[in-house]
Amino acid sequence: MRCFASDVLCSHFCSAPLCSFLHIISSSSCFLKLTVMAHTAQANVFDANNPQIQVEHDKKRRQFVIRLNGSHDRAVLLYEYVGKKTVDLQHTEVPDAYRGRGIAKHLAKAAMDFVVEEDLKAHLTCWYIQKYVKENPQPHYFEHIYQ
């Protein structure tokens, strides 16, 4: 008995023969069952070490954003102006599915570079920004941090 799914290629992500996914052969027909897990596992691959990661700075909303895999998922770093030349780097958030991949460090770097470039002073309310600065001791960062 021939499985016709082997002639069909997956057009969503991987272009692999569909029969390489889970299928069940029953008497005279081939029932194909694609598992969402197979596609989801490939779709959520995000390489935080990719030099092409783009951090967007939304000055109006006072946040730095990384769009994850072009989807609705976003990592964000929020800040507020607390004085004319002073910002409070308040909160960094990465969706659970993307945590532990080094995404927050790109947000932290962008925020600290912004502080330096704009010659601002920063309060580091966010624990992650505190950690980032400690692990990446740049003299030009320390000059702009309220201790």
Side-chain angles (χ1 to χ4, degrees):
M1 180 175 296
R2 184 165 186 266
C3 174
F4 292 98
S6 63
D7 296 334
V8 181
L9 297 180
C10 173
S11 62
H12 295 288
F13 298 102
C14 59
S15 297
L18 287 180
C19 71
S20 66
F21 293 105
L22 177 64
H23 72 272
I24 303 166
I25 298 176
S26 167
S27 62
S28 64
S29 60
C30 176
F31 296 99
L32 177 66
K33 179 182 178 184
L34 287 176
T35 60
V36 175
M37 297 280 290
H39 286 294
T40 304
Q42 287 190 353
N44 282 342
V45 173
F46 185 85
D47 183 6
N49 295 316
N50 181 348
Q52 299 301 319
I53 288 180
Q54 293 184 352
V55 179
E56 300 170 21
H57 185 186
D58 185 341
K59 290 183 178 184
K60 184 177 180 181
R61 290 191 170 121
R62 294 172 304 281
Q63 62 185 6
F64 292 89
V65 178
I66 297 175
R67 296 182 192 284
L68 304 166
N69 289 329
S71 69
H72 292 46
D73 290 331
R74 303 173 337 141
V76 297
L77 184 151
L78 306 173
Y79 68 93
E80 287 289 334
Y81 278 90
V82 293
K84 188 173 181 178
K85 298 285 280 178
T86 307
V87 293
D88 182 7
L89 302 178
Q90 297 176 326
H91 180 66
T92 303
E93 186 163 336
V94 176
D96 289 342
Y98 297 93
R99 290 190 180 162
R101 301 183 193 188
I103 295 168
K105 73 179 176 184
H106 294 281
L107 294 169
K109 180 182 184 328
M112 290 306 300
D113 289 348
F114 164 70
V115 167
V116 171
E117 290 165 9
E118 297 294 319
D119 196 27
L120 303 171
K121 289 287 189 179
H123 291 284
L124 307 183
T125 301
C126 173
W127 69 267
Y128 184 83
I129 302 291
Q130 294 172 14
K131 176 183 172 206
Y132 175 81
V133 169
K134 185 176 182 179
E135 292 175 355
N136 299 277
Q138 303 292 324
H140 59 282
Y141 287 171
F142 292 121
E143 297 169 8
H144 294 272
I145 297 172
Y146 278 116
Q147 297 296 333

